[in-house]
Amino acid sequence: MSAVSALFQNMNPVLDRELRQRSRSAKSVMVLTLLLVSLTAVLYLVYLAWDQDNQFRDPLQNLSAGIGAIMFEVVLFAELGLLLLIIPGISASAISGERDRQTLIPLQITLMSRGSIFFGKVAASSAFVLLLLIASAPLLAIPYLQGGVSLFRISMGFLVTLVTGVLYATLGVACSAVFRRTQTATLVAYVLVVGATIGPLLAVVVIEIFQSLNGDFNETSTWPLYWNPFVGVADAAGELGRNFDSRGPFSSIKEELLRPDRNFDGFDDGFVNSSGFPRFLLSLAAQASFVGFWVFLALRKLRLPQGEID
Amino acid sequence: MTNLPPPSGQNGYQPQQPAPHLIDSPPPQVGDIAVLDAGVPEENTHFDPSDAIIQARGLTKQYGTLTALNQFTLDVPRGSIFGIIGPNGAGKSTAFAILATLLRPTSGTARVCGFDPIADPKSVRRRMGYMPDVMGVYDRLTVSEYLQFHAAAYKVPRSEWPELVDGLLQLVDLDVKATASVDRLSRGMKQRLSLARSMVHDPDLLILDEPASGLDPRARIEFRELLIALQDMGKTILISSHILAELQQMCTDIAVIEAGNLLASGSPQSILDQLGDGRRVRVTFADGSVEEFPVADTIEQAALLKRLVVDDQRDVVEFAEVSTDLEGLFLQITQGIVQ
């Protein structure tokens, strides 16, 4: 038996069933189409804007490299934003939907452990995230062909976006286990996504206010930003030191929001912070700790026998 | 008598005393029939309790001040079709959920297939199939795929799936629907599929919660015949239902439950004898008058007939035992209490 065959033979039953069902669902195709159309539109708008801004510039200048870098960052930024919008919608009904359809109890009394059921659901949602990313990968090839962005940065951006997507898919599945109703689970999942995006920014502002009130005018610590889903991807995909004209959103985030590390190291174009630890890994670890808390709650909720049946 | 562990919280849950109001309250009376004390059902004497596939001792489940199940004690003989009768909210589903490893009791102990459903739920699940009262289905999945999925979840080797699925579908008469979408099946078919699902791992015991609810008469009869066939295959079936006539026709044993209290248990006839105000005969005389007489057994019946015909010189034209059905008995001994 080959390794691939063995993998399929021993596939998690929940993952196997979910993939089967998802592949037959019109909703999956619609979501995929919507994502690709949106990203194509974003890519085209970036090109139009760039073209309009630069039509009177010296044609001998190498403008292509600039647009390539910006296109890459804008498309990845939009993709991450869209994924954060899509993921709670596809993952927060994973377990509560089973509850609604009265299929959860027959599943729970099988010999599958609660962990196996939970991670089957997470794997199914993550597989869909991977499908969305792979389907949109050709759109990242256009910036690469334009130049100005290395294959390494594209790969790093892609990988960290994938891991971030998996983390938020896990969060959605956890919400669907913790909350009885799908509507509640979905709402909470969206609130958590928005909270993780805006919360760290607010925290930094609050810290800054407290520092200035105390007469401390040093650079504000930006450690809360590690919980922001965009920061890890910005660190992996952004590039410090770019001139303003060819700077995309991730380079700007990296430049502006990770100031304390720059002060420490002077010019820093790598991934490591002042302690020599990759910042994107710190960010993913911070997000994983947040998601891990919800996974803990979810697994507790799925334990049987319970004091009360949902 | 029993090999159950003492109710001392060894399995991680502490038995508690029943709510004081339940201890203090007198046993409920219905008409002139004394109902059994809560939690002290008559011993089921027609089988050896050590052969019981389910042994429940003093199971109590409380939700705040509501007692859903009160000192529930039951022995289910191996190989039987054991029916639990009770009105809505009687505690049937609560008892089933505890025995099926879903719910933790407030107090009491249980053994299902020889294992504690609280301390060792996996061992129970390996030997028990459970069919909840509502059958959920998945969208975009065929009947075969539905059973394969559950076979995988029960860790049945993949090589055995084709034969297993074919066999189960033939058993529940759904083989012609193997490639049909599960969500397109009729309610009766879904119930039969749910039963097939609960048997994918070849369990010794089936716990079926209201399996015939919502079925039309034909589907109900087919379902009943299916359960009798399963009993012939050596399965033990614990079933709850509102349809008492149906239970009377197929159950070897019956328990009556109301407001969380077990009122009676045993074979249908023993319950009728136990609680049915005794056997009665109806005598029609030549003058057209009709009288009923209580009789304990056939010897008493013969003595009564002799007294009427020989001693009292009365002209008897008809002498027949009055049949008491489970439905009538149920109405007599339950009060329609809804919690």
Side-chain angles (χ1 to χ4, degrees):
Chain A
M1 193 192 299
S2 73
V4 176
S5 169
L7 191 71
F8 278 101
Q9 293 274 321
N10 299 312
M11 190 189 270
N12 181 304
V14 172
L15 172 63
D16 186 7
R17 195 206 70 221
E18 292 266 335
L19 291 180
R20 222 180 268 263
Q21 286 180 281
R22 235 182 255 273
S23 67
R24 295 169 186 170
S25 156
K27 188 178 156 192
S28 304
V29 179
M30 276 169 56
V31 169
L32 186 59
T33 308
L34 203 69
L35 178 79
L36 293 180
V37 167
S38 306
L39 290 179
T40 308
V42 167
L43 197 67
Y44 184 62
L45 288 173
V46 172
Y47 178 79
L48 280 184
W50 177 268
D51 191 46
Q52 211 151 37
D53 281 357
N54 295 282
Q55 58 184 320
F56 302 114
R57 287 201 176 180
D58 181 359
L60 295 176
Q61 263 189 305
N62 183 8
L63 299 179
S64 176
I67 191 176
I70 287 187
M71 270 183 170
F72 163 66
E73 290 194 25
V74 171
V75 169
L76 199 61
F77 187 86
E79 181 153 37
L80 181 59
L82 286 170
L83 283 179
L84 292 175
L85 203 65
I86 291 168
I87 287 170
I90 59 164
S91 61
S93 60
I95 289 169
S96 55
E98 295 255 7
R99 225 177 256 132
D100 292 343
R101 286 192 305 269
Q102 311 274 355
T103 51
L104 185 60
I105 283 177
L107 179 58
Q108 283 181 292
I109 58 154
T110 65
L111 297 180
M112 286 186 79
S113 67
R114 59 194 156 133
S116 184
I117 293 171
F118 182 82
F119 288 107
K121 292 283 184 184
V122 169
S125 295
S126 301
F128 191 62
V129 172
L130 180 64
L131 173 71
L132 294 178
L133 277 169
I134 288 175
S136 60
L139 293 173
L140 295 178
I142 296 171
Y144 177 67
L145 294 175
Q146 292 283 348
V149 54
S150 66
L151 201 57
F152 178 70
R153 270 181 69 201
I154 291 179
S155 307
M156 285 297 293
F158 186 88
L159 273 177
V160 179
T161 304
L162 174 65
V163 176
T164 306
V166 168
L167 284 173
Y168 279 87
T170 308
L171 183 66
V173 175
C175 286
S176 78
V178 172
F179 297 99
R180 192 178 296 197
R181 297 181 52 156
T182 299
Q183 291 96 322
T184 314
T186 309
L187 182 69
V188 172
Y190 275 114
V191 166
L192 291 175
V193 168
V194 172
T197 309
I198 297 172
L201 298 172
L202 292 176
V204 170
V205 170
V206 169
I207 291 171
E208 204 161 31
I209 291 169
F210 270 104
Q211 272 187 339
S212 60
L213 285 175
N214 292 332
D216 179 0
F217 297 103
N218 288 322
E219 283 288 358
T220 307
S221 173
T222 55
W223 61 264
L225 293 175
Y226 285 118
W227 272 269
N228 182 304
F230 288 87
V231 167
V233 183
D235 186 53
E239 195 172 14
L240 292 179
R242 280 206 163 274
N243 66 54
F244 186 78
D245 285 347
S246 59
R247 186 183 288 170
F250 286 137
S251 293
S252 302
I253 291 173
K254 194 167 179 172
E255 177 83 23
E256 295 300 319
L257 300 180
L258 302 175
R259 277 173 290 157
D261 282 345
R262 282 198 67 211
N263 286 351
F264 233 93
D265 295 341
F267 184 75
D268 168 16
D269 195 21
F271 298 117
V272 294
N273 66 356
S274 51
S275 315
F277 201 79
R279 275 185 300 252
F280 70 86
L281 281 183
L282 280 177
S283 177
L284 292 177
Q287 292 174 74
S289 68
F290 173 60
V291 173
F293 168 73
W294 284 90
V295 171
F296 169 74
L297 293 182
L299 291 178
R300 266 180 61 123
K301 189 79 178 175
L302 289 174
R303 187 172 52 195
L304 283 182
Q306 282 275 2
E308 204 167 325
I309 301 176
D310 280 341
Chain B
M1 182 88 176
T2 172
N3 55 4
L4 279 176
S8 57
Q10 294 167 344
N11 301 320
Y13 59 102
Q14 289 293 329
Q16 294 173 5
Q17 290 299 313
H21 71 277
L22 291 166
I23 295 173
D24 296 341
S25 59
Q29 302 284 323
V30 182
D32 57 354
I33 298 170
V35 181
L36 295 172
D37 285 354
V40 194
E42 289 271 303
E43 277 297 328
N44 200 350
T45 54
H46 69 289
F47 82 105
D48 178 5
S50 65
D51 194 34
I53 199 163
I54 294 177
Q55 294 174 302
R57 294 288 178 272
L59 288 178
T60 298
K61 182 65 190 176
Q62 287 180 297
Y63 297 102
T65 56
L66 175 78
T67 303
L69 200 62
N70 183 33
Q71 293 290 317
F72 184 79
T73 294
L74 189 73
D75 287 312
V76 174
R78 194 176 288 274
S80 64
I81 301 184
F82 198 112
I84 305 257
I85 311 168
N88 286 332
K92 305 184 297 288
S93 294
T94 303
F96 279 22
I98 292 170
L99 297 173
T101 75
L102 297 171
L103 194 62
R104 185 179 287 270
T106 309
S107 65
T109 56
R111 289 295 239 205
V112 178
C113 303
F115 297 93
D116 186 326
I118 308 304
D120 193 3
K122 281 237 160 138
S123 295
V124 173
R125 288 172 198 162
R126 201 166 277 132
R127 293 160 180 85
M128 178 265 314
Y130 174 64
M131 183 176 160
D133 51 349
V134 182
M135 191 242 176
V137 292
Y138 294 107
D139 303 333
R140 301 181 295 277
L141 215 59
T142 68
V143 168
S144 288
E145 287 171 341
Y146 179 80
L147 290 180
Q148 284 169 4
F149 164 62
H150 281 96
Y154 274 108
K155 304 192 189 306
V156 177
R158 190 176 278 256
S159 58
E160 296 175 15
W161 291 1
E163 199 181 341
L164 172 72
V165 170
D166 287 349
L168 284 173
L169 289 179
Q170 274 177 23
L171 181 70
V172 298
D173 202 19
L174 283 176
D175 41 340
V176 292
K177 294 283 180 185
T179 55
S181 181
V182 177
D183 53 341
R184 299 271 169 91
L185 296 181
S186 70
R187 189 179 170 92
M189 288 175 181
K190 281 179 185 168
Q191 293 292 78
R192 279 185 277 147
L193 179 62
S194 184
L195 183 64
R197 174 200 56 74
S198 66
M199 292 193 298
V200 288
H201 57 306
D202 193 21
D204 298 328
L205 169 70
L206 290 167
I207 297 181
L208 315 177
D209 193 0
E210 305 270 3
S213 64
L215 297 186
D216 61 45
R218 174 173 287 278
R220 212 177 287 155
I221 290 165
E222 286 171 358
F223 201 84
R224 187 178 67 216
E225 284 170 357
L226 181 57
L227 294 188
I228 291 169
L230 289 173
Q231 187 200 19
D232 291 343
M233 290 163 63
K235 309 284 181 202
T236 306
I237 299 165
L238 179 64
I239 179 173
S240 69
S241 179
H242 289 112
I243 303 147
L244 307 184
E246 190 174 85
L247 286 185
Q248 194 171 12
Q249 283 169 20
M250 70 175 158
C251 289
T252 53
D253 298 79
I254 276 171
V256 184
I257 183 172
E258 185 180 42
N261 296 308
L262 186 65
L263 302 181
S265 79
S267 68
Q269 192 55 52
S270 75
I271 290 183
L272 288 170
D273 291 345
Q274 209 179 95
L275 296 174
D277 202 14
R279 291 160 75 173
R280 302 178 75 86
V281 288
R282 180 179 289 129
V283 184
T284 309
F285 297 100
D287 60 3
S289 63
V290 178
E291 288 179 39
E292 280 191 15
F293 299 89
V295 286
D297 49 30
T298 48
I299 295 168
E300 262 193 31
Q301 280 186 26
L304 173 69
L305 187 60
K306 177 183 169 286
R307 180 165 60 83
L308 293 171
V309 176
V310 178
D311 301 344
D312 299 348
Q313 301 278 309
R314 298 183 70 178
D315 295 329
V316 174
V317 293
E318 193 179 352
F319 185 92
E321 186 165 342
V322 179
S323 67
T324 310
D325 67 357
L326 206 55
E327 208 157 84
L329 177 69
F330 178 75
L331 290 173
Q332 275 184 296
I333 65 172
T334 60
Q335 300 178 91
I337 300 168
V338 176
Q339 296 192 95

